[in-house]
Amino acid sequence: VEPDAGMTADRAATIISSSRATVNRDIVDDSDHLLATPKDERMKGGTWYTIRYAVTQGTPVTIVWPDGTGVGE
């Protein structure tokens, strides 16, 4: 689904966000391991959604922080 000219900005953002979430789930579903590089520890946004989804699916996750340190399997 693509946003169109008649949509509100909020609705278009919701569709785009939903599309990204679908793509991210597909990436996890097709992966043996997720390497994630979140920009901070706030645990909000698409990267953290994808990390949480991977954990619920049993996909191993390695997180690499902006300073280069890593944590995970």
Side-chain angles (χ1 to χ4, degrees):
V1 176
E2 293 291 323
D4 64 44
M7 286 185 189
T8 65
D10 286 342
R11 177 68 181 134
T14 298
I15 289 172
I16 290 168
S17 178
S18 176
S19 296
R20 288 182 184 150
T22 299
V23 169
N24 290 347
R25 283 191 306 269
D26 289 346
I27 289 169
V28 169
D29 293 343
D30 289 339
S31 299
D32 295 323
H33 192 110
L34 178 68
L35 176 64
T37 57
K39 63 182 177 183
D40 56 42
E41 296 180 21
R42 289 183 299 146
M43 297 189 178
K44 293 184 177 181
T47 300
W48 284 104
Y49 168 86
T50 305
I51 292 168
R52 286 189 297 274
Y53 178 74
V55 169
T56 65
Q57 298 305 302
T59 302
V61 177
T62 299
I63 297 173
V64 178
W65 300 108
D67 68 1
T69 60
V71 63
E73 299 178 23

Short mmCIF file of all heavy atoms in Angstrom, two decimals:
data_model
loop_
_atom_site.label_atom_id
_atom_site.label_comp_id
_atom_site.label_asym_id
_atom_site.label_seq_id
_atom_site.Cartn_x
_atom_site.Cartn_y
_atom_site.Cartn_z
N VAL A 1 0.85 -1.18 0.00
CA VAL A 1 0.00 0.00 0.00
C VAL A 1 0.89 1.22 0.00
O VAL A 1 1.80 1.33 0.80
CB VAL A 1 -0.94 0.03 1.24
CG1 VAL A 1 -1.74 1.29 1.27
CG2 VAL A 1 -1.81 -1.19 1.28
N GLU A 2 0.59 2.14 -0.87
CA GLU A 2 1.34 3.38 -0.97
C GLU A 2 0.47 4.55 -0.55
O GLU A 2 -0.73 4.57 -0.84
CB GLU A 2 1.82 3.61 -2.42
CG GLU A 2 2.84 2.62 -2.89
CD GLU A 2 4.17 2.77 -2.20
OE1 GLU A 2 4.58 3.91 -1.93
OE2 GLU A 2 4.81 1.74 -1.92
N PRO A 3 1.07 5.56 0.12
CA PRO A 3 0.29 6.76 0.44
C PRO A 3 -0.12 7.47 -0.85
O PRO A 3 0.55 7.39 -1.85
CB PRO A 3 1.28 7.62 1.23
CG PRO A 3 2.49 6.80 1.46
CD PRO A 3 2.41 5.58 0.61
N ASP A 4 -1.27 8.16 -0.81
CA ASP A 4 -1.68 8.93 -1.98
C ASP A 4 -1.90 10.38 -1.59
O ASP A 4 -1.88 10.75 -0.42
CB ASP A 4 -2.91 8.33 -2.65
CG ASP A 4 -4.15 8.36 -1.77
OD1 ASP A 4 -4.40 9.40 -1.12
OD2 ASP A 4 -4.88 7.36 -1.73
N ALA A 5 -2.12 11.22 -2.59
CA ALA A 5 -2.21 12.66 -2.38
C ALA A 5 -3.38 13.06 -1.49
O ALA A 5 -3.32 14.09 -0.83
CB ALA A 5 -2.33 13.37 -3.73
N GLY A 6 -4.43 12.26 -1.38
CA GLY A 6 -5.58 12.61 -0.57
C GLY A 6 -5.47 12.24 0.90
O GLY A 6 -6.35 12.54 1.69
N MET A 7 -4.39 11.62 1.28
CA MET A 7 -4.23 11.18 2.67
C MET A 7 -3.67 12.28 3.55
O MET A 7 -2.94 13.14 3.09
CB MET A 7 -3.24 10.01 2.74
CG MET A 7 -3.76 8.74 2.25
SD MET A 7 -2.50 7.48 2.57
CE MET A 7 -3.23 6.15 1.67
N THR A 8 -3.99 12.16 4.83
CA THR A 8 -3.36 13.06 5.79
C THR A 8 -1.91 12.60 5.98
O THR A 8 -1.56 11.45 5.70
CB THR A 8 -4.07 13.01 7.15
OG1 THR A 8 -3.90 11.71 7.71
CG2 THR A 8 -5.55 13.36 7.03
N ALA A 9 -1.09 13.50 6.47
CA ALA A 9 0.31 13.16 6.71
C ALA A 9 0.43 12.04 7.75
O ALA A 9 1.28 11.15 7.62
CB ALA A 9 1.07 14.39 7.18
N ASP A 10 -0.43 12.07 8.77
CA ASP A 10 -0.38 11.01 9.79
C ASP A 10 -0.71 9.65 9.19
O ASP A 10 -0.07 8.65 9.51
CB ASP A 10 -1.35 11.32 10.93
CG ASP A 10 -0.86 12.42 11.83
OD1 ASP A 10 0.35 12.74 11.81
OD2 ASP A 10 -1.70 12.98 12.57
N ARG A 11 -1.71 9.60 8.33
CA ARG A 11 -2.10 8.33 7.71
C ARG A 11 -0.98 7.82 6.81
O ARG A 11 -0.66 6.63 6.81
CB ARG A 11 -3.40 8.50 6.92
CG ARG A 11 -3.84 7.24 6.20
CD ARG A 11 -4.27 6.15 7.17
NE ARG A 11 -4.64 4.96 6.41
CZ ARG A 11 -4.26 3.74 6.71
NH1 ARG A 11 -3.56 3.50 7.78
NH2 ARG A 11 -4.62 2.72 5.97
N ALA A 12 -0.38 8.72 6.05
CA ALA A 12 0.72 8.33 5.17
C ALA A 12 1.89 7.79 5.99
O ALA A 12 2.49 6.77 5.64
CB ALA A 12 1.16 9.51 4.31
N ALA A 13 2.20 8.44 7.11
CA ALA A 13 3.29 7.98 7.97
C ALA A 13 2.98 6.60 8.54
O ALA A 13 3.87 5.76 8.66
CB ALA A 13 3.55 8.98 9.09
N THR A 14 1.73 6.36 8.89
CA THR A 14 1.33 5.07 9.42
C THR A 14 1.52 3.98 8.38
O THR A 14 2.02 2.90 8.67
CB THR A 14 -0.13 5.10 9.90
OG1 THR A 14 -0.25 6.05 10.95
CG2 THR A 14 -0.60 3.74 10.38
N ILE A 15 1.14 4.25 7.16
CA ILE A 15 1.29 3.27 6.07
C ILE A 15 2.76 2.99 5.81
O ILE A 15 3.18 1.83 5.69
CB ILE A 15 0.58 3.75 4.79
CG1 ILE A 15 -0.93 3.67 5.00
CG2 ILE A 15 1.03 2.93 3.59
CD1 ILE A 15 -1.73 4.27 3.90
N ILE A 16 3.56 4.03 5.74
CA ILE A 16 4.99 3.85 5.49
C ILE A 16 5.61 3.05 6.63
O ILE A 16 6.38 2.12 6.41
CB ILE A 16 5.68 5.20 5.29
CG1 ILE A 16 5.22 5.81 3.96
CG2 ILE A 16 7.20 5.05 5.32
CD1 ILE A 16 5.60 7.25 3.77
N SER A 17 5.28 3.40 7.86
CA SER A 17 5.80 2.69 9.02
C SER A 17 5.38 1.22 8.98
O SER A 17 6.18 0.32 9.24
CB SER A 17 5.31 3.35 10.30
OG SER A 17 5.76 2.65 11.41
N SER A 18 4.14 0.98 8.65
CA SER A 18 3.63 -0.39 8.57
C SER A 18 4.37 -1.17 7.49
O SER A 18 4.71 -2.33 7.68
CB SER A 18 2.13 -0.36 8.27
OG SER A 18 1.66 -1.67 8.09
N SER A 19 4.63 -0.54 6.36
CA SER A 19 5.35 -1.20 5.28
C SER A 19 6.76 -1.56 5.71
O SER A 19 7.26 -2.64 5.42
CB SER A 19 5.40 -0.30 4.04
OG SER A 19 4.10 -0.07 3.56
N ARG A 20 7.42 -0.66 6.43
CA ARG A 20 8.77 -0.94 6.92
C ARG A 20 8.75 -2.08 7.91
O ARG A 20 9.64 -2.93 7.92
CB ARG A 20 9.37 0.32 7.55
CG ARG A 20 9.74 1.36 6.54
CD ARG A 20 10.38 2.56 7.17
NE ARG A 20 10.62 3.57 6.16
CZ ARG A 20 10.61 4.85 6.41
NH1 ARG A 20 10.36 5.31 7.62
NH2 ARG A 20 10.83 5.71 5.43
N ALA A 21 7.73 -2.10 8.77
CA ALA A 21 7.62 -3.19 9.75
C ALA A 21 7.47 -4.53 9.04
O ALA A 21 8.07 -5.52 9.45
CB ALA A 21 6.45 -2.94 10.70
N THR A 22 6.69 -4.55 7.97
CA THR A 22 6.52 -5.78 7.20
C THR A 22 7.84 -6.22 6.59
O THR A 22 8.21 -7.39 6.66
CB THR A 22 5.46 -5.58 6.10
OG1 THR A 22 4.23 -5.25 6.73
CG2 THR A 22 5.29 -6.82 5.25
N VAL A 23 8.57 -5.29 6.02
CA VAL A 23 9.87 -5.61 5.43
C VAL A 23 10.82 -6.13 6.51
O VAL A 23 11.51 -7.13 6.31
CB VAL A 23 10.47 -4.37 4.72
CG1 VAL A 23 11.93 -4.61 4.35
CG2 VAL A 23 9.66 -4.02 3.49
N ASN A 24 10.83 -5.47 7.67
CA ASN A 24 11.72 -5.90 8.75
C ASN A 24 11.36 -7.30 9.25
O ASN A 24 12.25 -8.11 9.54
CB ASN A 24 11.70 -4.89 9.89
CG ASN A 24 12.38 -3.59 9.51
OD1 ASN A 24 13.05 -3.50 8.50
ND2 ASN A 24 12.18 -2.58 10.31
N ARG A 25 10.07 -7.60 9.35
CA ARG A 25 9.66 -8.96 9.74
C ARG A 25 10.13 -9.97 8.70
O ARG A 25 10.60 -11.06 9.05
CB ARG A 25 8.14 -9.04 9.93
CG ARG A 25 7.67 -8.43 11.22
CD ARG A 25 6.21 -8.77 11.50
NE ARG A 25 5.31 -8.41 10.43
CZ ARG A 25 4.68 -7.25 10.31
NH1 ARG A 25 4.84 -6.31 11.22
NH2 ARG A 25 3.87 -7.02 9.30
N ASP A 26 9.99 -9.62 7.43
CA ASP A 26 10.44 -10.53 6.36
C ASP A 26 11.94 -10.78 6.47
O ASP A 26 12.40 -11.91 6.27
CB ASP A 26 10.10 -9.96 4.98
CG ASP A 26 8.62 -9.99 4.68
OD1 ASP A 26 7.86 -10.69 5.39
OD2 ASP A 26 8.22 -9.30 3.72
N ILE A 27 12.69 -9.73 6.78
CA ILE A 27 14.15 -9.88 6.93
C ILE A 27 14.45 -10.86 8.06
O ILE A 27 15.27 -11.77 7.91
CB ILE A 27 14.82 -8.51 7.18
CG1 ILE A 27 14.77 -7.67 5.90
CG2 ILE A 27 16.26 -8.69 7.67
CD1 ILE A 27 15.17 -6.22 6.09
N VAL A 28 13.80 -10.69 9.20
CA VAL A 28 14.01 -11.60 10.34
C VAL A 28 13.61 -13.01 9.96
O VAL A 28 14.34 -13.97 10.23
CB VAL A 28 13.24 -11.11 11.58
CG1 VAL A 28 13.24 -12.18 12.68
CG2 VAL A 28 13.82 -9.79 12.11
N ASP A 29 12.46 -13.15 9.34
CA ASP A 29 11.95 -14.48 8.98
C ASP A 29 12.89 -15.22 8.02
O ASP A 29 12.93 -16.45 8.02
CB ASP A 29 10.55 -14.38 8.37
CG ASP A 29 9.51 -13.93 9.38
OD1 ASP A 29 9.76 -13.99 10.60
OD2 ASP A 29 8.43 -13.49 8.92
N ASP A 30 13.65 -14.47 7.23
CA ASP A 30 14.56 -15.08 6.26
C ASP A 30 16.00 -15.15 6.75
O ASP A 30 16.90 -15.47 5.99
CB ASP A 30 14.52 -14.31 4.94
CG ASP A 30 13.22 -14.51 4.19
OD1 ASP A 30 12.53 -15.51 4.45
OD2 ASP A 30 12.88 -13.65 3.34
N SER A 31 16.23 -14.82 8.04
CA SER A 31 17.59 -14.76 8.58
C SER A 31 17.83 -15.82 9.63
O SER A 31 16.93 -16.22 10.35
CB SER A 31 17.83 -13.37 9.21
OG SER A 31 17.70 -12.36 8.24
N ASP A 32 19.09 -16.22 9.72
CA ASP A 32 19.53 -17.13 10.78
C ASP A 32 20.01 -16.34 12.00
O ASP A 32 20.13 -16.90 13.08
CB ASP A 32 20.66 -18.03 10.29
CG ASP A 32 20.21 -18.96 9.18
OD1 ASP A 32 19.06 -19.44 9.24
OD2 ASP A 32 21.00 -19.19 8.25
N HIS A 33 20.34 -15.07 11.81
CA HIS A 33 20.90 -14.24 12.87
C HIS A 33 20.65 -12.78 12.49
O HIS A 33 20.78 -12.42 11.33
CB HIS A 33 22.41 -14.49 12.96
CG HIS A 33 23.05 -13.92 14.18
ND1 HIS A 33 23.53 -14.70 15.20
CD2 HIS A 33 23.27 -12.64 14.57
CE1 HIS A 33 24.03 -13.93 16.13
NE2 HIS A 33 23.88 -12.68 15.78
N LEU A 34 20.30 -11.95 13.48
CA LEU A 34 20.07 -10.53 13.23
C LEU A 34 21.22 -9.73 13.83
O LEU A 34 21.53 -9.87 15.02
CB LEU A 34 18.75 -10.06 13.84
CG LEU A 34 18.43 -8.57 13.68
CD1 LEU A 34 18.15 -8.24 12.22
CD2 LEU A 34 17.26 -8.18 14.56
N LEU A 35 21.87 -8.91 13.02
CA LEU A 35 22.88 -7.96 13.47
C LEU A 35 22.21 -6.59 13.46
O LEU A 35 21.83 -6.10 12.41
CB LEU A 35 24.09 -7.97 12.54
CG LEU A 35 25.17 -6.95 12.85
CD1 LEU A 35 25.79 -7.23 14.22
CD2 LEU A 35 26.24 -6.98 11.76
N ALA A 36 22.04 -6.01 14.64
CA ALA A 36 21.30 -4.75 14.76
C ALA A 36 22.23 -3.65 15.23
O ALA A 36 23.11 -3.87 16.08
CB ALA A 36 20.15 -4.91 15.74
N THR A 37 22.02 -2.44 14.70
CA THR A 37 22.84 -1.29 15.06
C THR A 37 21.95 -0.11 15.46
O THR A 37 21.85 0.88 14.75
CB THR A 37 23.76 -0.89 13.89
OG1 THR A 37 22.95 -0.62 12.75
CG2 THR A 37 24.76 -1.98 13.56
N PRO A 38 21.31 -0.21 16.64
CA PRO A 38 20.44 0.89 17.07
C PRO A 38 21.27 2.14 17.40
O PRO A 38 22.43 2.03 17.79
CB PRO A 38 19.76 0.34 18.33
CG PRO A 38 20.70 -0.70 18.85
CD PRO A 38 21.37 -1.27 17.64
N LYS A 39 20.64 3.30 17.23
CA LYS A 39 21.37 4.55 17.47
C LYS A 39 21.45 4.91 18.95
O LYS A 39 22.28 5.72 19.33
CB LYS A 39 20.77 5.69 16.67
CG LYS A 39 19.35 6.04 17.03
CD LYS A 39 18.82 7.16 16.15
CE LYS A 39 17.37 7.43 16.48
NZ LYS A 39 16.81 8.45 15.61
N ASP A 40 20.60 4.31 19.78
CA ASP A 40 20.65 4.58 21.21
C ASP A 40 19.91 3.48 21.97
O ASP A 40 19.44 2.52 21.36
CB ASP A 40 20.06 5.96 21.55
CG ASP A 40 18.63 6.14 21.06
OD1 ASP A 40 17.82 5.19 21.19
OD2 ASP A 40 18.31 7.22 20.54
N GLU A 41 19.83 3.63 23.28
CA GLU A 41 19.23 2.60 24.12
C GLU A 41 17.78 2.89 24.49
O GLU A 41 17.24 2.24 25.38
CB GLU A 41 20.06 2.45 25.41
CG GLU A 41 21.46 1.98 25.15
CD GLU A 41 22.28 1.85 26.42
OE1 GLU A 41 21.70 1.74 27.50
OE2 GLU A 41 23.51 1.87 26.30
N ARG A 42 17.12 3.81 23.83
CA ARG A 42 15.75 4.18 24.20
C ARG A 42 14.73 3.10 23.91
O ARG A 42 13.61 3.15 24.39
CB ARG A 42 15.33 5.47 23.49
CG ARG A 42 16.04 6.68 24.04
CD ARG A 42 15.57 7.95 23.38
NE ARG A 42 15.86 7.88 21.95
CZ ARG A 42 15.11 8.42 21.02
NH1 ARG A 42 14.01 9.06 21.32
NH2 ARG A 42 15.43 8.32 19.75
N MET A 43 15.09 2.11 23.14
CA MET A 43 14.23 0.98 22.80
C MET A 43 12.92 1.39 22.15
O MET A 43 11.86 0.82 22.41
CB MET A 43 13.98 0.10 24.03
CG MET A 43 15.22 -0.53 24.56
SD MET A 43 14.87 -1.74 25.83
CE MET A 43 16.51 -2.32 26.17
N LYS A 44 12.98 2.41 21.31
CA LYS A 44 11.83 2.85 20.53
C LYS A 44 12.22 2.85 19.06
O LYS A 44 13.37 2.97 18.71
CB LYS A 44 11.40 4.27 20.93
CG LYS A 44 10.87 4.36 22.34
CD LYS A 44 10.39 5.77 22.62
CE LYS A 44 9.79 5.85 24.00
NZ LYS A 44 9.29 7.18 24.30
N GLY A 45 11.21 2.74 18.21
CA GLY A 45 11.44 2.84 16.78
C GLY A 45 11.59 1.49 16.09
O GLY A 45 11.51 0.42 16.71
N GLY A 46 11.81 1.57 14.80
CA GLY A 46 11.82 0.39 13.95
C GLY A 46 12.91 -0.61 14.25
O GLY A 46 12.69 -1.82 14.18
N THR A 47 14.10 -0.11 14.58
CA THR A 47 15.19 -1.05 14.88
C THR A 47 14.84 -1.88 16.10
O THR A 47 15.01 -3.11 16.10
CB THR A 47 16.50 -0.29 15.11
OG1 THR A 47 16.82 0.44 13.91
CG2 THR A 47 17.65 -1.24 15.44
N TRP A 48 14.33 -1.22 17.15
CA TRP A 48 13.97 -1.96 18.36
C TRP A 48 12.76 -2.86 18.14
O TRP A 48 12.70 -3.95 18.70
CB TRP A 48 13.76 -1.00 19.53
CG TRP A 48 15.07 -0.52 20.04
CD1 TRP A 48 15.64 0.70 19.83
CD2 TRP A 48 16.03 -1.28 20.78
NE1 TRP A 48 16.88 0.75 20.41
CE2 TRP A 48 17.14 -0.46 21.01
CE3 TRP A 48 16.04 -2.57 21.28
CZ2 TRP A 48 18.26 -0.88 21.71
CZ3 TRP A 48 17.15 -3.00 21.99
CH2 TRP A 48 18.24 -2.15 22.20
N TYR A 49 11.82 -2.44 17.31
CA TYR A 49 10.71 -3.32 16.97
C TYR A 49 11.25 -4.59 16.33
O TYR A 49 10.82 -5.70 16.67
CB TYR A 49 9.75 -2.61 15.99
CG TYR A 49 8.76 -3.57 15.37
CD1 TYR A 49 7.57 -3.87 16.02
CD2 TYR A 49 9.03 -4.20 14.17
CE1 TYR A 49 6.67 -4.78 15.48
CE2 TYR A 49 8.15 -5.11 13.62
CZ TYR A 49 6.97 -5.39 14.28
OH TYR A 49 6.10 -6.30 13.75
N THR A 50 12.20 -4.43 15.43
CA THR A 50 12.76 -5.58 14.73
C THR A 50 13.55 -6.48 15.67
O THR A 50 13.46 -7.71 15.59
CB THR A 50 13.64 -5.10 13.55
OG1 THR A 50 12.85 -4.23 12.72
CG2 THR A 50 14.16 -6.25 12.73
N ILE A 51 14.30 -5.88 16.59
CA ILE A 51 15.03 -6.66 17.59
C ILE A 51 14.05 -7.48 18.43
O ILE A 51 14.24 -8.68 18.63
CB ILE A 51 15.89 -5.75 18.48
CG1 ILE A 51 17.03 -5.13 17.67
CG2 ILE A 51 16.42 -6.52 19.70
CD1 ILE A 51 17.76 -4.00 18.37
N ARG A 52 13.00 -6.83 18.92
CA ARG A 52 12.01 -7.55 19.75
C ARG A 52 11.34 -8.66 18.95
O ARG A 52 11.14 -9.77 19.46
CB ARG A 52 10.96 -6.57 20.29
CG ARG A 52 11.49 -5.70 21.42
CD ARG A 52 10.39 -4.90 22.09
NE ARG A 52 9.74 -3.96 21.20
CZ ARG A 52 10.17 -2.72 20.97
NH1 ARG A 52 11.26 -2.26 21.56
NH2 ARG A 52 9.52 -1.93 20.15
N TYR A 53 11.02 -8.40 17.69
CA TYR A 53 10.40 -9.43 16.85
C TYR A 53 11.35 -10.61 16.69
O TYR A 53 10.94 -11.77 16.80
CB TYR A 53 10.01 -8.85 15.49
CG TYR A 53 9.40 -9.89 14.58
CD1 TYR A 53 8.11 -10.35 14.79
CD2 TYR A 53 10.12 -10.43 13.52
CE1 TYR A 53 7.54 -11.32 13.99
CE2 TYR A 53 9.57 -11.41 12.71
CZ TYR A 53 8.28 -11.85 12.94
OH TYR A 53 7.73 -12.82 12.15
N ALA A 54 12.62 -10.33 16.43
CA ALA A 54 13.59 -11.41 16.26
C ALA A 54 13.68 -12.27 17.51
O ALA A 54 13.70 -13.51 17.43
CB ALA A 54 14.96 -10.84 15.91
N VAL A 55 13.70 -11.63 18.67
CA VAL A 55 13.76 -12.38 19.94
C VAL A 55 12.54 -13.27 20.09
O VAL A 55 12.66 -14.44 20.47
CB VAL A 55 13.91 -11.41 21.13
CG1 VAL A 55 13.72 -12.12 22.46
CG2 VAL A 55 15.28 -10.72 21.07
N THR A 56 11.35 -12.74 19.77
CA THR A 56 10.14 -13.55 19.92
C THR A 56 10.12 -14.73 18.94
O THR A 56 9.47 -15.74 19.21
CB THR A 56 8.84 -12.74 19.72
OG1 THR A 56 8.76 -12.27 18.38
CG2 THR A 56 8.76 -11.58 20.70
N GLN A 57 10.83 -14.60 17.84
CA GLN A 57 10.88 -15.68 16.85
C GLN A 57 12.02 -16.66 17.11
O GLN A 57 12.18 -17.64 16.38
CB GLN A 57 11.04 -15.08 15.43
CG GLN A 57 9.88 -14.21 15.00
CD GLN A 57 8.56 -14.95 15.10
OE1 GLN A 57 8.37 -15.99 14.49
NE2 GLN A 57 7.65 -14.41 15.89
N GLY A 58 12.82 -16.38 18.14
CA GLY A 58 13.94 -17.26 18.45
C GLY A 58 15.16 -17.03 17.58
O GLY A 58 16.08 -17.87 17.56
N THR A 59 15.19 -15.93 16.86
CA THR A 59 16.34 -15.60 16.01
C THR A 59 17.42 -14.97 16.88
O THR A 59 17.15 -14.00 17.59
CB THR A 59 15.92 -14.61 14.91
OG1 THR A 59 14.87 -15.20 14.13
CG2 THR A 59 17.09 -14.27 14.00
N PRO A 60 18.65 -15.49 16.85
CA PRO A 60 19.72 -14.88 17.62
C PRO A 60 19.95 -13.42 17.18
O PRO A 60 19.85 -13.12 15.99
CB PRO A 60 20.95 -15.74 17.30
CG PRO A 60 20.40 -17.02 16.78
CD PRO A 60 19.09 -16.67 16.12
N VAL A 61 20.26 -12.57 18.15
CA VAL A 61 20.45 -11.14 17.88
C VAL A 61 21.79 -10.69 18.45
O VAL A 61 22.11 -11.00 19.61
CB VAL A 61 19.32 -10.29 18.50
CG1 VAL A 61 19.57 -8.81 18.27
CG2 VAL A 61 17.97 -10.70 17.94
N THR A 62 22.56 -9.98 17.66
CA THR A 62 23.75 -9.28 18.13
C THR A 62 23.50 -7.79 17.93
O THR A 62 23.10 -7.37 16.85
CB THR A 62 25.01 -9.70 17.35
OG1 THR A 62 25.22 -11.10 17.55
CG2 THR A 62 26.23 -8.93 17.81
N ILE A 63 23.72 -7.02 19.00
CA ILE A 63 23.55 -5.58 18.94
C ILE A 63 24.93 -4.94 18.96
O ILE A 63 25.75 -5.25 19.83
CB ILE A 63 22.70 -5.06 20.12
CG1 ILE A 63 21.29 -5.65 20.05
CG2 ILE A 63 22.67 -3.53 20.14
CD1 ILE A 63 20.42 -5.35 21.24
N VAL A 64 25.19 -4.04 18.02
CA VAL A 64 26.41 -3.26 18.00
C VAL A 64 26.04 -1.81 18.27
O VAL A 64 25.25 -1.22 17.52
CB VAL A 64 27.14 -3.39 16.64
CG1 VAL A 64 28.40 -2.53 16.64
CG2 VAL A 64 27.48 -4.84 16.34
N TRP A 65 26.55 -1.29 19.38
CA TRP A 65 26.24 0.10 19.78
C TRP A 65 27.06 1.09 18.98
O TRP A 65 28.06 0.73 18.38
CB TRP A 65 26.52 0.26 21.28
CG TRP A 65 25.69 -0.65 22.11
CD1 TRP A 65 26.10 -1.75 22.79
CD2 TRP A 65 24.27 -0.57 22.33
NE1 TRP A 65 25.03 -2.36 23.42
CE2 TRP A 65 23.91 -1.65 23.15
CE3 TRP A 65 23.28 0.30 21.90
CZ2 TRP A 65 22.59 -1.87 23.56
CZ3 TRP A 65 21.97 0.08 22.32
CH2 TRP A 65 21.64 -0.98 23.13
N PRO A 66 26.64 2.35 18.96
CA PRO A 66 27.36 3.38 18.20
C PRO A 66 28.86 3.49 18.54
O PRO A 66 29.66 3.85 17.69
CB PRO A 66 26.62 4.67 18.53
CG PRO A 66 25.22 4.22 18.82
CD PRO A 66 25.40 2.90 19.54
N ASP A 67 29.22 3.14 19.78
CA ASP A 67 30.64 3.21 20.16
C ASP A 67 31.43 1.99 19.71
O ASP A 67 32.63 1.88 19.97
CB ASP A 67 30.79 3.43 21.66
CG ASP A 67 30.33 2.23 22.49
OD1 ASP A 67 29.91 1.21 21.92
OD2 ASP A 67 30.39 2.33 23.73
N GLY A 68 30.76 1.06 19.03
CA GLY A 68 31.44 -0.12 18.49
C GLY A 68 31.40 -1.34 19.39
O GLY A 68 31.79 -2.43 18.97
N THR A 69 30.92 -1.18 20.62
CA THR A 69 30.80 -2.34 21.49
C THR A 69 29.62 -3.18 21.06
O THR A 69 28.66 -2.67 20.48
CB THR A 69 30.66 -1.94 22.97
OG1 THR A 69 29.48 -1.14 23.13
CG2 THR A 69 31.88 -1.18 23.45
N GLY A 70 29.67 -4.45 21.36
CA GLY A 70 28.59 -5.34 20.96
C GLY A 70 28.11 -6.21 22.10
O GLY A 70 28.83 -6.42 23.07
N VAL A 71 26.89 -6.69 21.94
CA VAL A 71 26.31 -7.59 22.93
C VAL A 71 25.40 -8.56 22.17
O VAL A 71 24.76 -8.20 21.19
CB VAL A 71 25.52 -6.83 24.01
CG1 VAL A 71 24.35 -6.08 23.43
CG2 VAL A 71 25.06 -7.74 25.12
N GLY A 72 25.38 -9.80 22.62
CA GLY A 72 24.48 -10.76 21.99
C GLY A 72 25.15 -12.07 21.71
O GLY A 72 26.22 -12.37 22.21
N GLU A 73 24.49 -12.83 20.87
CA GLU A 73 24.94 -14.19 20.57
C GLU A 73 25.93 -14.19 19.45
O GLU A 73 25.92 -13.42 18.56
CB GLU A 73 23.73 -15.05 20.22
CG GLU A 73 22.77 -15.10 21.37
CD GLU A 73 21.51 -15.90 21.03
OE1 GLU A 73 21.55 -16.75 20.14
OE2 GLU A 73 20.52 -15.67 21.72
#
